[in-house]
Amino acid sequence: MELYLNKNWYILQDVHDAGEQLELFKEEDFLTEQGPQMSEWEAIPELKHLQLLLSDHPYWGRQLRYFNDAPWWYKNEFTIMDDDADHFVLTFTNVDYYCKVWLNGIYLGQHEGYSIPFSFDLDEAVNRKGNNRLIVKVWSPWDKDVDQNNQKRRTFDVYRNMVKGTYEHSDTFVQRDVNPVGIYGKVSICSYKEACFIRKPEFSYTLSDDLKKAYLNFKADVTRYHNKQCRLHVICLDNLTKEIQFEAACNVPEKGLCELSGEIDNFSLWSTWDQGTPYTYKIKMWLESEKYHCLDMYEEITGFRKVEMIRNEKQTMFILNNNNFYIRGTAYFPDNYISAMTRERYQRDLLAMKACGFNMVRVHVHVDLPDFYELCTEIGLGIMHDSEYNWAHPLTDEFAKRFISIYLETVDMLKKYPAVLCWICMNEPGLLDTEEGGSRSHSRSMDINPGPALYEAVCRHDSTRPVIKGSFCEDDFLSGDSHNYMGSLYGEEGHYSDIYGTVEKLNTEYGFDALPCFENLKKEPQIYSRLKKIENQYEKIGNYQYSLLKYYTEHYRMQKYNPNAGYVQFLFSDIAPTSFYGLYDWWGVPKKGLEAMLESNMPIGVFLKYRERLDEIYVVNDLPESIGTCDIFWHVINEKRETLEKGSCEAEIGKDSIVLIKTFGKRFGDTISVYLTVKKNQKVVCSNHYEDLYHMPEHVSGHPGRISHEFGIRLYQA
């Protein structure tokens, strides 16, 4: 039986951190006495990050500071209805960030992290026939230490002592004052009779080289009460047809360690939506006895697929189900507060990604709720998953040990999802600890700690997926991907067209931050007032985002496998009303940049290479099937709409291919536009257009250096 404790919670803030000394976990009569200066209990309607429950402006503002200045205490009182159970377990799915837990005054233990479920045995503490008082202390403190006390670089050099990724980032991605804290997700108490799983059962598989056979393995660690005999049952069920593909059972031995194995050959492979079908299966494992049909049960959704990476000096390329896999990706951080997310919001975003042509999501330095991973698996979107190691962290072995332990729990929790195709151990490491004259590929975090031990541990915990040691360490043999913000975050000096003639093996970040819809900004009057003076530049900023994204995306598409193996646009949606990197603003309204991805990011595309002249036309097909013979048309006109050149040709467009259609190698006047179309049997396969292509928009004045740290917004001009 499972008792959910997601209602009837009370909180108080312990402003002087005196609750433990006063033994609040044992009694609370002193709360209204004059001396202790303690708050009273306050009811909350649900379990979410406290900023969402208690603040009118949870995404920006100095009033948020107090949430993290002192710890919070939670209280819940409940009764047990199953007093003949043999075993009780209390489980939290999410507590951000540190916590200590007591039941009926008895200390159960503590936990660090925000995304990993954890449990406590209640057998010695629970009152089976009366009231129970659950007390939890929660805190998520500010980090104070800055490398060499260089306060001018606090954004980059503050030592992030928690495994929370981007918090204290404060470069308009995550605002200065935002540091989520609180219990969210689910809290529950499970009661068991006769037997239960000691920990989550494990299912794993391997595939034959030809991907025709799947070898299944089921493991379970069981504890039995009163020496009662029970059996372990396992099945593998086709989610589409509901047919049982495999089933087996065995008696649980005295020591409780069970393992069952078998093979199937009548299965379908899981794939991303553009490469095939995201075919899934349900795995069920349960215990039963003569008296009870089900003592304990575990379920997961799986998919059979094989993912590899070719990685050398010339390539960083993914292989999915023995086929080359070109990545068209976007980075995702859906909200500053993960507890604000719902299955419906995830579904909205993921279906929009698919409609934009993306086949990969980079989960950027955070961990999402289970709904996200389930939906990616169902929709057929691959996941490239960061750890929370981002920028500057303590350079001690003690922190490295803590970090590795927490991240491995993330790997173990998420590796069951077939959509997860790659782990990234560290994002942009070496920002702090790179020696003068060195590179991010060679720094303490990469060469000493935690890099080597972290990479080895992740590979050991999950040998079925590629692992990138340090994202943005393109020269490192165990990494191999690049980030490129030329014409964007690299400042006003450069222009996005400066990438012309360059090559990248695999890009995992590029983009530009553009303003949300001004009508939406008006819903936040203080922010709107701060940005109102550049309202007349709204269109200019949006056009620059559009032009940069289009130029970058097509630049990578025209390098397909020579050497480029894909890209990840940053960022799909704004994570707060004050963060502007997304293709969609925080309210879900598209920006001009979305048009660039709709034109340039689809599985089939026709592209023009150009800078100061027209170079070539290419057709790119990322699908696993041939398009066949197509007709390709081009039309070049001047500012008077007069035709400068018009032509067509036939070309065979094979599967997963790039085809050079035409070489121009010349300049047509000073103001021209170009229109491209690909047809098959008079039906349009794809098209593209380039308006006034020589006159590319210039970088917006003041970007990226001007920031209002009070609001956490880019100002765009001096």
Side-chain angles (χ1 to χ4, degrees):
M1 188 182 77
E2 190 166 14
L3 172 65
Y4 288 100
L5 301 179
N6 280 45
K7 300 291 184 180
N8 304 317
W9 284 93
Y10 294 80
I11 59 166
L12 63 82
Q13 190 171 30
D14 187 359
V15 295
H16 300 292
D17 197 7
E20 285 194 68
Q21 180 181 339
L22 294 169
E23 296 189 322
L24 178 59
F25 47 86
K26 287 186 177 180
E27 55 94 16
E28 57 190 60
D29 291 343
F30 61 84
L31 289 180
T32 54
E33 292 179 358
Q34 183 175 356
Q37 297 186 359
M38 289 289 288
S39 301
E40 295 181 78
W41 291 113
E42 175 184 355
I44 56 174
E46 58 183 325
L47 290 176
K48 281 188 175 180
H49 283 109
L50 290 174
Q51 289 94 333
L52 293 174
L53 297 175
L54 304 178
S55 174
D56 293 332
H57 295 287
Y59 294 94
W60 55 272
R62 65 177 70 93
Q63 80 285 348
L64 295 180
R65 302 295 296 181
Y66 85 86
F67 282 91
N68 305 94
D69 286 340
W72 297 80
W73 291 79
Y74 285 73
K75 178 179 76 168
N76 192 297
E77 296 184 338
F78 61 91
T79 57
I80 294 293
M81 305 301 294
D82 192 7
D83 60 0
D84 66 336
D86 296 306
H87 183 50
F88 296 90
V89 175
L90 169 68
T91 299
F92 297 83
T93 61
N94 304 88
V95 179
D96 195 348
Y97 175 78
Y98 298 103
C99 74
K100 293 182 177 180
V101 184
W102 293 263
L103 182 65
N104 299 326
I106 298 174
Y107 180 62
L108 300 180
Q110 60 186 348
H111 185 262
E112 175 184 359
Y114 71 93
S115 60
I116 306 299
F118 58 96
S119 301
F120 299 105
D121 185 325
L122 298 185
D123 294 349
E124 301 301 320
V126 71
N127 183 352
R128 298 168 184 249
K129 296 184 178 181
N131 188 62
N132 288 273
R133 182 172 176 265
L134 177 63
I135 300 291
V136 187
K137 180 183 179 182
V138 180
W139 67 105
S140 185
W142 294 110
D143 295 314
K144 298 179 180 180
D145 295 334
V146 179
D147 181 55
Q148 300 179 40
N149 199 31
N150 185 358
Q151 296 297 332
K152 283 189 175 182
R153 282 186 51 84
R154 182 181 185 86
T155 291
F156 310 99
D157 292 355
V158 62
Y159 286 111
R160 294 160 176 82
N161 194 46
M162 295 180 289
V163 184
K164 290 192 73 170
T166 55
Y167 295 104
E168 298 189 78
H169 211 282
S170 66
D171 72 338
T172 77
F173 177 52
V174 173
Q175 290 67 33
R176 176 194 65 178
D177 298 314
V178 173
N179 180 5
V181 61
I183 301 175
Y184 66 102
K186 296 178 181 178
V187 182
S188 62
I189 295 176
C190 286
S191 59
Y192 301 96
K193 298 178 176 68
E194 296 188 4
C196 69
F197 297 120
I198 296 177
R199 59 185 64 86
K200 182 187 76 174
E202 297 180 22
F203 166 73
S204 61
Y205 67 88
T206 57
L207 298 176
S208 60
D209 291 341
D210 61 3
L211 309 183
K212 300 292 187 182
K213 287 184 179 293
Y215 305 99
L216 315 180
N217 186 261
F218 305 83
K219 291 182 180 179
D221 195 353
V222 180
T223 186
R224 299 188 303 171
Y225 304 101
H226 317 300
N227 202 30
K228 296 282 188 177
Q229 183 57 263
C230 63
R231 287 176 63 78
L232 171 68
H233 293 256
V234 302
I235 64 170
C236 175
L237 180 75
D238 186 313
N239 261 338
L240 184 63
T241 67
K242 306 307 178 185
E243 294 178 89
I244 294 177
Q245 303 296 307
F246 176 83
E247 61 181 324
C250 68
N251 290 326
V252 175
E254 184 176 345
K255 292 185 178 180
L257 294 173
C258 301
E259 186 167 2
L260 290 167
S261 59
E263 67 178 63
I264 58 175
D265 56 13
N266 55 338
F267 63 93
S268 298
L269 293 170
W270 184 93
S271 185
T272 56
W273 65 269
D274 61 327
Q275 298 298 303
T277 301
Y279 213 96
T280 60
Y281 295 82
K282 178 180 286 188
I283 301 298
K284 295 180 67 173
M285 305 173 69
W286 72 95
L287 300 170
E288 68 175 40
S289 67
E290 291 183 2
K291 184 176 181 181
Y292 298 103
H293 175 66
C294 184
L295 302 169
D296 199 0
M297 176 177 285
Y298 171 76
E299 294 184 1
E300 70 176 61
I301 300 298
T302 193
F304 301 108
R305 89 285 182 274
K306 181 180 180 182
V307 58
E308 304 166 280
M309 183 187 286
I310 297 175
R311 187 161 41 185
N312 53 46
E313 291 182 0
K314 295 182 179 180
Q315 287 184 308
T316 306
M317 188 165 74
F318 281 80
I319 310 295
L320 180 62
N321 296 332
N322 291 345
N323 296 310
N324 293 343
F325 176 48
Y326 190 82
I327 291 173
R328 300 183 309 280
T330 185
Y332 189 55
F333 200 135
D335 197 288
N336 267 331
Y337 301 97
I338 296 302
S339 66
M341 293 303 295
T342 63
R343 187 176 184 88
E344 291 76 18
R345 274 186 67 182
Y346 279 131
Q347 188 175 43
R348 178 200 68 179
D349 290 350
L350 295 174
L351 289 175
M353 289 179 197
K354 179 180 177 182
C356 291
F358 293 113
N359 60 15
M360 179 78 87
V361 187
R362 180 180 176 189
V363 177
H364 192 58
V365 285
H366 75 284
V367 179
D368 276 297
L369 299 176
D371 283 333
F372 168 80
Y373 303 96
E374 293 169 7
L375 285 166
C376 283
T377 296
E378 175 186 316
I379 293 169
L381 283 165
I383 298 171
M384 179 180 288
H385 210 294
D386 291 355
S387 79
E388 290 96 336
Y389 196 99
N390 184 74
W391 292 8
H393 293 274
L395 301 177
T396 64
D397 292 344
E398 184 275 332
F399 175 80
K401 184 177 180 180
R402 277 175 50 215
F403 181 88
I404 292 172
S405 175
I406 292 171
Y407 186 54
L408 290 181
E409 289 183 318
T410 301
V411 171
D412 287 340
M413 177 179 70
L414 299 180
K415 66 184 182 182
K416 67 181 181 181
Y417 296 104
V420 178
L421 300 182
C422 175
W423 304 112
I424 297 178
C425 292
M426 299 179 288
N427 178 60
E428 299 184 345
L431 191 73
L432 170 68
D433 58 339
T434 299
E435 296 182 4
E436 186 175 351
S439 70
R440 289 183 178 84
S441 300
H442 301 286
S443 61
R444 188 187 194 281
S445 54
M446 284 292 284
D447 296 338
I448 301 175
N449 224 352
L454 176 60
Y455 178 83
E456 181 181 336
V458 173
C459 291
R460 185 171 60 250
H461 271 245
D462 183 7
S463 61
T464 68
R465 292 174 174 88
V467 179
I468 291 175
K469 182 179 178 185
S471 190
F472 197 25
C473 299
E474 59 266 35
D475 296 327
D476 178 69
F477 179 74
L478 300 177
S479 303
D481 65 311
S482 56
H483 298 173
N484 194 340
Y485 287 98
M486 183 68 67
S488 177
L489 295 182
Y490 291 168
E492 293 184 69
E493 296 78 15
H495 189 267
Y496 61 79
S497 63
D498 293 342
I499 66 172
Y500 180 90
T502 65
V503 296
E504 296 173 58
K505 295 182 290 185
L506 172 65
N507 175 283
T508 50
E509 279 191 36
Y510 70 99
F512 182 81
D513 46 346
L515 293 167
C517 170
F518 256 93
E519 289 302 311
N520 285 330
L521 277 182
K522 290 177 182 178
K523 298 172 184 176
E524 299 287 352
Q526 289 179 284
I527 299 172
Y528 173 72
S529 176
R530 188 67 179 89
L531 292 173
K532 191 175 188 301
K533 64 182 180 180
I534 61 168
E535 190 167 1
N536 62 347
Q537 295 192 64
Y538 176 81
E539 185 175 356
K540 179 181 179 181
I541 294 168
N543 285 335
Y544 191 84
Q545 184 194 46
Y546 163 84
S547 299
L548 180 146
L549 291 177
K550 184 176 178 68
Y551 200 86
Y552 264 87
T553 303
E554 296 182 359
H555 171 75
Y556 296 130
R557 295 294 294 273
M558 290 183 285
Q559 294 180 31
K560 179 171 178 173
Y561 304 147
N562 188 30
N564 184 264
Y567 51 83
V568 179
Q569 171 268 336
F570 190 92
L571 187 69
F572 184 73
S573 55
D574 293 344
I575 69 173
T578 49
S579 180
F580 304 153
Y581 288 92
L583 301 175
Y584 287 85
D585 70 17
W586 184 77
W587 293 270
V589 175
K591 304 179 189 178
K592 182 71 172 179
L594 177 66
E595 295 181 22
M597 307 315 292
L598 292 172
E599 293 167 7
S600 307
N601 188 56
M602 294 301 167
I604 306 171
V606 56
F607 309 119
L608 175 67
K609 183 178 180 182
Y610 69 96
R611 190 182 190 188
E612 296 172 351
R613 65 177 190 177
L614 305 191
D615 290 331
E616 296 101 13
I617 298 172
Y618 292 89
V619 173
V620 178
N621 176 24
D622 293 343
L623 297 177
E625 57 267 354
S626 172
I627 304 172
T629 302
C630 295
D631 297 305
I632 296 90
F633 301 86
W634 59 91
H635 188 200
V636 184
I637 63 173
N638 62 17
E639 69 275 20
K640 296 179 180 179
R641 313 304 291 178
E642 297 170 335
T643 297
L644 302 179
E645 180 170 328
K646 184 177 182 180
S648 66
C649 68
E650 284 188 350
E652 185 73 18
I653 311 300
K655 68 176 184 179
D656 193 27
S657 63
I658 177 170
V659 181
L660 173 61
I661 300 300
K662 177 177 174 57
T663 299
F664 290 102
K666 63 178 180 179
R667 184 181 180 92
F668 292 84
D670 291 324
T671 304
I672 66 168
S673 299
V674 179
Y675 302 88
L676 307 175
T677 308
V678 178
K679 293 183 178 180
K680 181 177 175 62
N681 299 328
Q682 298 303 310
K683 293 183 179 180
V684 175
V685 176
C686 60
S687 63
N688 210 340
H689 62 96
Y690 304 83
E691 310 292 338
D692 193 11
L693 58 79
Y694 295 141
H695 299 123
M696 305 179 198
E698 294 297 322
H699 203 288
V700 183
S701 176
H703 183 284
R706 305 294 295 177
I707 294 171
S708 168
H709 290 290
E710 200 60 48
F711 297 101
I713 54 175
R714 191 83 67 194
L715 297 178
Y716 294 92
Q717 66 178 15

